[in-house]
Amino acid sequence: PPSLFKYKMVKHNNMVPNAHFHKKWQQSSRGPLKVRVALDQASKKKSRRVKRAAKAAALAPAPLNKLRPAVHAQTQRYNAKVRLGRGFSIAELKAAGLTATYARTIGIAVDPRRQNKSEEAKQVNVDRLKAFLASIVVFDKKKSAAAVAEATQFKGALQPITKAAPAVELADVEVPDVSAFIQMRKARVETKIAGQRYALAERKKKE
């Protein structure tokens, strides 16, 4: 006889087929369904890459990425983590001998809303700025066009935050003469058979 079920049962312990393929995507009495598809994912990936390349070519020889400060993550749970922030504060730029207007022209990100909460964190970013100023070369496009054409563009993050690898120290492990595990195991056995020994001792007294 024909099966009473529309779908054939799957083998093994798999999910029961319950697919819905009757959605009306086009215009209907209910209106079009707002279904978002990613059929242009491959073309969007290419267009983003082309835009990045065009932006890098327009900024050349200046790097595509800007210099970011080292900040601590928010909340008590993550404040031990150090990551790249949005931009340097005005106090950090002033300590490094820069202005916000000039810093933006040489590839330094500026965040005027950011406030420094500690001198230690401020000094870390001031040192980053000074190291950056010591490593860059500022060209005058009108006077040194040939040097600008020969310069190479830096790619990647500027002064990325490097996490030091934890030091591994090899040492001999001292093995104690008395094992705590064996002591606990013996004590557990002694406790388990204490009642039997007591009953045996009472029986011998009666005899």
Side-chain angles (χ1 to χ4, degrees), residues 60-108:
L64 179 62
N65 298 321
K66 295 182 179 181
L67 181 67
R68 305 284 179 180
V71 300
H72 290 265
Q74 294 181 348
T75 71
Q76 186 177 3
R77 182 178 182 180
Y78 299 105
N79 59 7
K81 177 184 177 183
V82 180
R83 62 175 179 83
L84 294 179
R86 181 182 181 89
F88 291 90
S89 64
I90 302 299
E92 292 168 350
L93 296 173
K94 186 176 180 180
L98 297 171
T99 60
T101 304
Y102 178 71
R104 289 188 175 97
T105 62
I106 59 175
I108 298 176

Side-chain angles (χ1 to χ4, degrees), residues 175-187:
V175 181
D177 298 334
V178 180
S179 175
F181 173 76
I182 295 177
Q183 286 182 332
M184 292 174 61
R185 185 170 62 183
K186 288 182 178 180

Side-chain angles (χ1 to χ4, degrees), residues 127-145:
D127 295 339
R128 284 175 64 87
L129 287 171
K130 291 182 179 180
F132 178 74
L133 293 175
S135 62
I136 64 171
V137 178
V138 181
F139 293 105
D140 188 351
K141 288 189 176 182
K142 296 181 180 179
K143 298 181 180 179
S144 56

Side-chain angles (χ1 to χ4, degrees), residues 3 5-17:
S3 177
F5 297 98
K6 185 176 180 180
Y7 298 105
K8 189 176 180 181
M9 191 59 190
V10 295
K11 293 182 179 180
H12 312 296
N13 189 22
N14 296 327
M15 184 177 66
V16 177

